[in-house]
Every structure is written in structure tokens, then in C-alpha cells.
Amino acid sequence: MPPRLSVVVPFYNVAAYIGDCLESIARQTFSDVEVVLVDDGSQDASAEVAAEFCARDPRFRVVRQENQGLGPARNTGIAHSTGEYLTFVDSDDLVPPHAYELMVGSLDRTGSSLAAGNARRFNNTLGVRASYLHRTIFAADRAVTHILEYPELALDRMVWNKVYRRSFWDEHDYRFPAIRYEDYPVTMRAHLDAVTVDCLSAPVYFWRERESGESITQQKYVFANLADRVTSALMVLDLVDERAPELRGRVHAHFAEIDLPTILQGFGTIADDERQPLVELGRRLLGRLEPDALAKARSLERLQVQALAAGDAYLLRRLAAFRADAGQRGGVRAHRHGMLPWRYETRYPTPERASPSVPRRLYRLPRRDLQLHTTVSRVDWDDDGLIVQGTADIRHAPRPADESWRLRLSLVRGLRTVHLPVRRFPARDSHGETALVGFETRVPRRLLTGVAADGAWPRLTVDLRAGGLHRRGPLRTVGYGGGQYPNGAWVTGDLWLQPTSGGDRFMLRPVHRPVEVTDATVDGDVLILSGRLSTPTADPALRVARSSGTLRVPLELGTGSDERGFTARIPVADLIDTANPDDPFTLRTARVPRLDQGANGPLLLATGLRRSVHTVHDGRLLTVTRSPGQYVNLFEGPVRLHADTVEVSGGDGGQRLTVAGPWWDGRDPGTVVWRRFREGSDEHVDVPCHGVHDHKGWSAEVAVADLLPAQPGDGYDVTDWTLFVVPGDGTSPYAVQADAYLMARLPVDLTVAGSAVRILPRAGRLHLEVV
């Protein structure tokens, strides 16, 4: 009897990754599968790894062919597959264990032509994070929809986050073209041909970003890659013109935002003899895009587009090199042009005077590009109220004298605005330069005590005058460098105020009488959560949910004067799942407890926890911690190092950095190193730490001076270090997880031998940046 699902996995020279990929497929909870591995002429040990899987699991088999590329290899795999459903996996990626159960189950219920789901991106240094495009498209579950009903699907480019009904695939005879970026023409056709499509918000695919940039989609600026990108785009544009002109605006804007800039940046790296062919290639794409699709381009990109239209390869190369060097770090500063106080001009590279290809007017900077730029770097509380630190400046603005800056911050509650005190200090601005852009403000508790009554979330606004420019707007950009895990606080006996990011705005979320956890302990093999309900409830219980199911935990109600008090006792064994972790990269599973009041019962606010709680059971580590919004989260996964302390000791030039955390037995966890990768390469340099460990904890110490930039000429330009563990048992190195309560206290800034050093969290990993 044929299997229900065929999984097609082409591979070519991926020996370092294919084992993990196939392991993630083998762990699928939906087991009625065949896995067709297509060896596309590999020259490394990939075939041996594939053969080992086939020897131990009869569901796996290998088909071999001469190297023809990813598209033809997928076509070969389809021809050798027999399942009722069809899906694809790239051989360096991972599939979460419940992915196929979710997608096949959805198709069985609805009868749709295909099911598609969310995706995550991952690598060693940044861990797992959302794929921006997929997060937007698959923000919510949508069964039996269609691209013309839900046009966001027009941007669903990839083939691997889907399961297709095989009869549907064969009816339309889909074949992948023999180019890179072969996915989009096929997925666009499938979305248009489908009777209906099921969209799942759950992540069904993990997409690897290699440090080396070796994968096809990361070799952006190779001419052959750029040529295939344009070919693919033109195929999609033809298809939209013919079949769905109502999607033109959305698709054209997408190519203008994603693909055209990649072509423009290619001029910075390609060989001299490829410049003119790339001009012709870029003009083919540019000529197909509607003018409205280019209207939102920034000033530098407008110059690049005009230079491309004029065929000025010389200027295109200079502009691309400038953007790669400085433009991505905040952009060039503008300067006043003429006598008019509101007219500014950029200092971008210009064309040759003899044959100007770009009108001078395009070097004028529109006022919309002179934007207010703010960050939040630290959020604290003291007895008097809330303390917020950050930066505020104006992108592209000329750097004015410090005395000409005028900064005002205000607390806005509904229609009420209160100006706040501001202390200013030097910090790095959006151009990477030190200026008087740092600020600290305090919000007194007396201004926060009544926020629940009017229902409006308080927010902070910024009013900045600098060198004749005046900009105002909300305080934004919570995250990079700090402020990601701000602590909340009680402002009255019943009102908790939680700093949070509302979109990208910094806001204060009032919670009146939250369901809260005041303590978490482990007694033997039982996790005990203590807390208080919002109101007394009959037969209360917690729902401890994960992507694949829910555990219900009855609550023991308190006695005596606190009628809202509760205790939850959860056997640790019930929270451990060694075989099917939700995250196929970190091998961790996240569980989120909430009050059992239907699917949207209130989450548990971690008001009383001051540190994460850990216990080891059956070789797995269970951690009780908090989310960025300070809700209780439970994580279980491999026993690995976590960092919960960062300390700096010693004087200027001799500072030593110590990172420490808990450890649960006396075994050697491995060597702790600070690691940085060479740009565009898996090659790295390690600086070992002096480490100690016992059954209670571990620490790793390093001289900060050893992490300063090396002398020019060693080939290493990266100044971003990640804390890694190299296990002594030969297993793969891994990045140290930064504890959530440590992230609430970061960043740590210091100056060493004239260099600015910042210790900060990035995607849950501990990083050190040197500027």
C-alpha cells in the first residue's frame, strides 16, 4: 500500500548538515511516509550519511543522478515518489516533529489542494527566530482560503513549508525549472490553480542560515545567481499578468523591496567583465516594475535605480560599495543645500561630471528620510517609579553642536500629556558615532497609579530639536542591545504595570489583579507553582499548552485570609518529552501555562519570580522562567549551560569578564569560548575562557582585551563574539543560552583600550560587540 506522504529531499555536498535534517524527518509524529533522497552528484560524504539512514529506516531510499541542480533533483524525486501527499525539504534545513501531522491532518479535514505553514530561521550564533515574511503571511490559521481571497499568499515564495495533494500536483503537471529561485514560479502557479488552501500559524519548517553563506539563497551577489533571480522574477510577473492582474501591485512592490535591491548591490562585488551584463539584467527587471512599486525607495536606492535606468555601471559600483560600507549602518549624513533651511542634500557618490546619469535633484534628501530614530536600551524600577534609558537622534541629519540639541520626553495617557525630566549623556547614534543622544527619564509612580481606570495604555513620546530640525513621535525600537525583557512592577496593591513593545512602540501595559505566580520550587520530582487568581473560581485548573497538546493541572485553593491563593503541583515527568521536542534545532519544547478558561484563558504573570528555576529529570533540563512580557514559560530540553550572571572586574585596560550560571552535576560541561566567525565563512576564531565548574554552578573568565579587534591583515573583520561551549565528548558546539532574568539586566557597557564594548543578548544568545 503506498505511503500517505512522500518527502523529497535533494542533496548536494551537505555532509555537515544532512544528518540533522534526516533525523528531524525520522522523528515526525506522522509516520506513514516515504523519504526519497536524491543524490545530485555529491562529491563529499553526504551519500554515506544518507546510506546510513536508509540502512536503519526502510522508509528512506536514495536515487542518484549526475549534478543537475536543485530544481531537476526535485523533479527526479517526484518521479520516484508514490504518496497520496507530497512535500519537499532542503537538505540543510530541519522539520519540527508535528509539522506533517498538522498539515496532512488539515488537508484530510478540509479537502484543500495544499496546506502551508509558518517558518523559522536559525543558525549557531543567533539561534531560532521568526522568518519575517512567513510570520506576516501566516499570522493566523486560515482554512479553505485562496490567494485571491487572501492576497498575502502572493508573497509565499518557498516550496518547502507546504504539503501538496499529489492528485492536484499531477493534474497541473508542475515541474521545477533548472534555475536557482525555482520555488516562486511553482508556488505562485499552485496558489492560483488551487481550489482552496489551508494556512497554519504553527511553524512547520526551520530554515538554516549558514554562517558561511554557502546555501544557494545566501550567495546573493554571484552573477549566475542574480541572473536566475531575475529569470524567476520575470516568470512570476508573466504569470501574474496573465492569471491575476489584481495581484500586480503587491507582487511588484515585493520585487522592488527584495529582489531589485539585491541586483543593485551585486554591482559592488561582481567582476569588471560582468558589470555590463548585470546592467542589462537589472534593466530587464526594472522595466517590468510599475512606478508605484518604486515610490517608497529611500534616497540611496533611488539613486541606484536611476543609475541602473541610465546604464551607469561605474556609478552603480560606487553606490553599492558605499552602501555595503556605510549605508547599512545608518546612512550618510546630509548637509544643508543652498540658503533654504529645509533643503538638505546627501553626500552619496556622484556620477562622472562628463556624463552625469543621475540628476542633481535626486541627491536632495526628502524630509521624510530625516526621521526620528529612537531606541530603548534599559528599563528599571526604583522606589520612586520607572526609569527608562535609550537614545534619540535624527537619521541623516548633520551632526549639530551638542548645545543645539533640545530633547523632551512626555508620558501620554489618553488625552493627558505630562512632560518628564530628562538626563542626557553621550551614546552611539544611528550613524555609529558618539554624540549627546543618550537619555534617561523617570516616570513617577504617582503618574501611573490611575492608568487602569481610563483604559489607555500609557506611552512615552519624544520631541527632538537638533540643528534647526524638529521631529516628534513615539519612543520606539525596544529590543536590540537591551530592553527586551523589562521588569514590571506593582504601582498599587492591585495594579501591575508591565513595560512592553506594542508593535515597535514602547508602552506600559496595565494589568488589574492578574493571575500571578509568586513562587516556583521543585520538591523531588514535582514542580510546585504558587500564586493568586484574579477572583475566586470554582474548580480552577491550569492548561499547560505546547504546539502538540495540552496538560490540565487542577489547582489547590488557598485557605485562610487569601481566598485567591492557589498551588499547582505538576509531576516533572509530565513535562518531559525526550522523543519529540518542538524545536528541531535546540531540541527544546516550550510550554505556556494559562488559567483553564477556554482557549484564551489568562496567562500567568511572573510577579514573584526573581530568577529562573531549573531541575534535571531523565537526562533533560526543565526551566521555569519568564517571557519578554513577564509571563511564566516552561522550557525542557538538553542539559546545557545557561548564563545568569555577567560581571566585570579590574581597571581600564585590564578588565576581566566573568560569565556564570547553574550546573547540575560534577561532569565537565566542556570548554567555554568566545567565538567569532569570519565574514561569509564557517571559519572561526576562538578565545578560550578560564572555566571552573562543580555540581552547583559554572563560570568562565576572559580578559576583555583578548576580544578586541585583531591587527589588520588577519582576515577577520567581525567584531561580534558569541559565547560557545565546545563539549569534550565530541558532540557539536552550541551557543550558551542567556537566562531571561539576565537579559532583563543587560546590556553591560564598558570601554577597553579606547574601544566600546557591549555585552548584550541577541535571540537568547550571549554576545559581545566591540566597536
Side-chain angles (χ1 to χ4, degrees):
M1 184 174 180
R4 298 213 64 206
L5 175 66
S6 295
V7 184
V8 175
V9 188
F11 65 90
Y12 176 75
N13 290 353
V14 285
Y17 307 106
I18 189 171
D20 291 340
C21 173
L22 300 183
E23 191 65 53
S24 74
I25 298 172
R27 280 198 300 263
Q28 289 296 302
T29 56
F30 185 85
S31 59
D32 190 5
V33 302
E34 65 172 355
V35 184
V36 181
L37 308 174
V38 183
D39 181 356
D40 192 35
S42 290
Q43 303 298 311
D44 66 356
S46 302
E48 286 83 350
V49 177
E52 291 175 6
F53 264 86
C54 295
R56 69 174 188 252
D57 191 331
R59 299 176 301 169
F60 290 71
R61 55 192 170 92
V62 176
V63 177
R64 294 178 176 84
Q65 66 179 31
E66 295 296 320
N67 181 250
Q68 299 178 43
L70 182 57
R74 283 178 176 160
N75 294 334
T76 297
I78 295 167
H80 285 82
S81 62
T82 61
E84 176 186 354
Y85 294 110
L86 179 65
T87 191
F88 302 91
V89 179
D90 286 354
S91 53
D92 54 353
D93 295 340
L94 302 171
V95 186
H98 306 284
Y100 297 148
E101 180 181 357
L102 291 171
M103 288 189 283
V104 171
S106 181
L107 293 176
D108 283 345
R109 289 190 300 273
T110 66
S112 289
S113 303
L114 63 104
N118 220 325
R120 298 284 187 266
R121 306 183 81 163
F122 72 95
N123 66 4
N124 288 315
T125 55
L126 289 176
V128 179
R129 56 212 183 280
S131 171
Y132 175 76
L133 195 59
H134 294 93
R135 178 185 65 186
T136 303
I137 299 169
F138 299 102
D141 292 336
R142 296 173 182 268
V144 292
T145 187
H146 189 268
I147 191 171
L148 300 181
E149 175 184 317
Y150 180 50
E152 288 297 321
L153 288 174
L155 310 185
D156 180 28
R157 300 174 64 138
M158 313 309 289
V159 72
W160 34 241
N161 62 325
K162 303 171 179 63
V163 166
Y164 301 86
R165 196 175 294 278
R166 180 60 184 264
S167 58
F168 165 74
W169 187 278
D170 289 345
E171 176 187 355
H172 297 282
D173 192 26
Y174 298 122
R175 293 186 64 80
F176 292 98
I179 59 171
R180 301 169 183 86
Y181 304 97
E182 72 291 333
D183 294 50
Y184 204 179
V186 173
T187 57
M188 178 60 79
R189 277 191 61 198
H191 274 305
L192 292 171
D193 290 336
V195 178
T196 57
V197 174
D198 297 343
C199 297
L200 284 69
S201 60
V204 298
Y205 200 84
F206 278 53
W207 175 19
R208 185 185 299 271
E209 293 179 298
R210 301 192 207 169
E211 275 79 13
S212 66
E214 290 173 358
S215 67
I216 289 173
T217 55
Q218 289 176 270
Q219 291 179 347
K220 290 182 178 180
Y221 306 130
V222 176
F223 181 81
N225 191 306
L226 296 170
D228 284 351
R229 182 186 280 265
V230 172
T231 299
S232 174
L234 295 177
M235 293 172 72
V236 172
L237 291 171
D238 287 343
L239 190 60
V240 169
D241 284 348
E242 177 187 352
R243 302 270 309 272
E246 57 266 59
L247 300 176
R248 282 174 56 93
R250 192 175 299 269
V251 174
H252 283 233
H254 179 68
F255 282 132
E257 179 185 0
I258 303 297
D259 295 74
L260 183 61
T262 302
I263 303 297
L264 296 171
Q265 280 307 104
F267 285 95
T269 56
I270 61 168
D272 291 346
D273 61 350
E274 293 175 330
R275 287 193 213 170
Q276 195 56 41
L278 186 58
V279 168
E280 301 307 318
L281 193 68
R283 291 171 79 174
R284 288 179 62 198
L285 177 58
L286 180 62
R288 291 291 302 273
L289 299 181
E290 296 176 339
D292 287 350
L294 305 170
K296 294 183 180 180
R298 296 291 181 190
S299 56
L300 178 55
E301 204 165 281
R302 288 196 300 272
L303 295 177
Q304 291 179 293
V305 168
Q306 180 62 37
L308 178 62
D312 191 338
Y314 168 79
L315 180 57
L316 285 164
R317 187 179 186 91
R318 294 184 65 209
L319 290 169
F322 176 87
R323 183 170 183 172
D325 179 49
Q328 303 286 40
R329 197 178 57 242
V332 68
R333 291 190 186 276
H335 64 95
R336 285 278 178 82
H337 178 67
M339 300 300 295
L340 298 176
W342 60 84
R343 181 169 291 179
Y344 290 86
E345 189 172 274
T346 62
R347 298 185 186 274
Y348 294 130
T350 57
E352 293 178 314
R353 292 180 179 276
S355 56
S357 59
V358 177
R360 189 74 186 184
R361 59 181 172 77
L362 288 184
Y363 283 84
R364 295 175 189 165
L365 192 69
R367 290 181 64 84
R368 72 170 185 266
D369 285 5
L370 291 159
Q371 293 180 332
L372 178 67
H373 177 263
T374 62
T375 68
V376 176
S377 58
R378 188 182 296 277
V379 180
D380 292 309
W381 295 84
D382 63 11
D383 292 341
D384 296 326
L386 176 68
I387 307 167
V388 180
Q389 290 184 352
T391 65
D393 70 316
I394 299 174
R395 280 195 190 276
H396 302 293
R399 180 175 173 177
D402 287 343
E403 60 271 14
S404 70
W405 290 74
R406 298 289 183 270
L407 176 65
R408 185 170 67 190
L409 276 86
S410 304
L411 175 71
V412 178
R413 275 179 43 195
L415 299 177
R416 184 185 180 194
T417 299
V418 179
H419 301 320
L420 302 171
V422 177
R423 178 180 70 85
R424 296 168 59 201
F425 53 85
R428 292 202 171 269
D429 64 15
S430 59
H431 297 82
E433 300 177 2
T434 300
L436 196 63
V437 298
F439 69 81
E440 178 181 286
T441 188
R442 289 173 172 265
V443 185
R445 285 179 184 268
R446 59 181 174 78
L447 297 178
L448 301 172
T449 55
V451 297
D454 56 25
W457 287 25
R459 64 187 189 278
L460 297 184
T461 62
V462 179
D463 189 297
L464 178 62
R465 296 179 183 270
L469 290 169
H470 181 204
R471 294 290 183 270
R472 61 167 63 95
L475 181 60
R476 297 179 181 270
T477 316
V478 182
Y480 179 75
Q484 298 145 303
Y485 280 72
N487 289 316
W490 294 105
V491 293
T492 70
D494 286 333
L495 179 63
W496 178 271
L497 209 58
Q498 180 64 47
T500 189
S501 178
D504 65 345
R505 299 186 178 193
F506 178 76
M507 306 185 77
L508 301 173
R509 173 168 51 88
V511 188
H512 182 70
R513 281 200 173 190
V515 179
E516 56 175 313
V517 169
T518 57
D519 193 22
T521 59
V522 177
D523 183 6
D525 291 332
V526 178
L527 170 64
I528 302 173
L529 301 179
S530 303
R532 292 195 304 167
L533 302 173
S534 300
T535 57
T537 304
D539 191 26
L542 298 183
R543 296 174 63 248
V544 186
R546 62 177 290 193
S547 62
S548 60
T550 300
L551 174 68
R552 190 176 189 275
V553 181
L555 297 183
E556 303 171 12
L557 296 181
T559 57
S561 59
D562 190 359
E563 61 179 356
R564 295 193 288 137
F566 73 81
T567 300
R569 302 179 187 274
I570 311 174
V572 174
D574 291 350
L575 301 172
I576 302 297
D577 185 354
T578 304
N580 296 302
D582 286 348
D583 185 326
F585 178 59
T586 65
L587 302 179
R588 302 171 80 206
T589 294
R591 297 179 183 266
V592 182
R594 61 170 72 230
L595 199 62
D596 188 16
Q597 293 180 349
N600 297 312
L603 298 168
L604 277 59
L605 203 58
T607 62
L609 303 186
R610 296 295 178 264
R611 60 178 180 82
S612 297
V613 175
H614 308 272
T615 187
V616 174
H617 180 89
D618 195 21
R620 301 281 285 180
L621 176 65
L622 175 68
T623 301
V624 184
T625 188
R626 51 160 292 190
S627 71
Q630 207 155 338
Y631 293 114
V632 175
N633 282 179
L634 309 178
F635 289 93
E636 67 95 7
V639 180
R640 293 177 173 174
L641 294 191
H642 287 57
D644 64 9
T645 304
V646 170
E647 294 181 347
V648 178
S649 59
D652 183 32
Q655 292 100 321
R656 300 193 68 82
L657 171 64
T658 301
V659 181
W663 190 233
W664 299 277
D665 59 43
R667 293 178 299 169
D668 187 352
T671 303
V672 181
V673 302
W674 285 98
R675 172 171 292 184
R676 61 175 179 172
F677 287 87
R678 186 177 183 179
E679 186 175 359
S681 173
D682 278 335
E683 188 179 347
H684 58 264
V685 60
D686 288 347
V687 174
C689 300
H690 173 69
V692 297
H693 66 275
D694 58 26
H695 66 285
K696 292 183 179 180
W698 66 276
S699 67
E701 183 183 35
V702 69
V704 181
D706 291 345
L707 304 176
L708 298 186
Q711 293 297 319
D714 74 345
Y716 288 94
D717 300 319
V718 178
T719 56
D720 179 29
W721 298 84
T722 308
L723 193 64
F724 265 81
V725 176
V726 182
D729 59 5
T731 55
S732 298
Y734 62 89
V736 173
Q737 182 76 28
D739 184 82
Y741 288 91
L742 171 61
M743 288 193 279
R745 303 191 298 272
L746 294 177
V748 172
D749 293 300
L750 58 150
T751 301
V752 182
S755 294
V757 177
R758 168 168 282 194
I759 300 99
L760 71 161
R762 293 181 66 184
R765 269 57 176 171
L766 202 59
H767 285 246
L768 183 145
E769 291 184 347
V770 183
V771 180

